[in-house]
Amino acid sequence: MTPGEKVTLDGPFGAITDEGAGLFLAAGAGITPFIAILRKRAKEADLEGCQLIFSNETEGDIILSEEWAQMQGLRVDHVLSEEDVPDLHYGKVDKTFLERHAALSGQVYICGPQGYVDAMRDTVKDLGVPGDGIHTEEGW
């Protein structure tokens, strides 16, 4: 760019909007669209029925870990794939993990790398979540 050149800024982008309480499945930076939704719900004291399952490689990779812990009413499960830390889950989120730990009675929001999104979408469908109850960033 050179001085005086014009730029056009646009955004924010994204297809995930708050459609009601439910399960938020995030991997790494996939937490991004959920930050605004969960902060708004926390401000309105409306986190009843909300659960965050947040996958990362290490504990140091967890974005806003203290904020999630302080949100009254939000159930949080951190899953680490490369580090075994007390009080956090170790491994991968899969069908068995979701059967044991996930509340699948509301909406399901999924964001992360495409492979993660595809796997989680297929898994929650297999667990009985209808397609119209699953929300991803696709389609924007």
Side-chain angles (χ1 to χ4, degrees), residues 70-89:
Q70 293 172 7
M71 286 189 178
Q72 296 293 319
L74 177 64
R75 181 175 154 199
V76 180
D77 291 279
H78 291 291
V79 182
L80 305 179
S81 63
E82 293 186 10
E83 186 177 49
D84 193 358
V85 175
D87 300 322
L88 302 181
H89 301 282

Side-chain angles (χ1 to χ4, degrees), residues 22-114:
L23 175 63
F24 295 81
L25 294 169
I31 192 68
T32 304
F34 304 151
I35 295 170
I37 293 170
L38 294 171
R39 281 179 174 167
K40 182 177 187 287
R41 286 185 157 273
K43 184 177 179 180
E44 296 170 355
D46 189 24
L47 286 167
E48 182 70 30
C50 291
Q51 177 184 9
L52 172 62
I53 296 178
F54 192 8
S55 299
N56 286 280
E57 292 179 351
T58 68
E59 186 175 20
D61 296 331
I62 300 171
I63 298 167
L64 301 173
S65 62
E66 290 181 26
E67 185 171 346
W68 306 129
Q70 293 172 7
M71 286 189 178
Q72 296 293 319
L74 177 64
R75 181 175 154 199
V76 180
D77 291 279
H78 291 291
V79 182
L80 305 179
S81 63
E82 293 186 10
E83 186 177 49
D84 193 358
V85 175
D87 300 322
L88 302 181
H89 301 282
Y90 175 74
K92 300 279 185 184
V93 177
D94 57 14
K95 185 174 182 180
T96 300
F97 182 91
L98 292 175
E99 287 173 325
R100 291 182 183 162
H101 302 284
L104 293 170
S105 59
Q107 304 296 310
V108 176
Y109 305 88
I110 307 168
C111 194
Q114 193 61 52

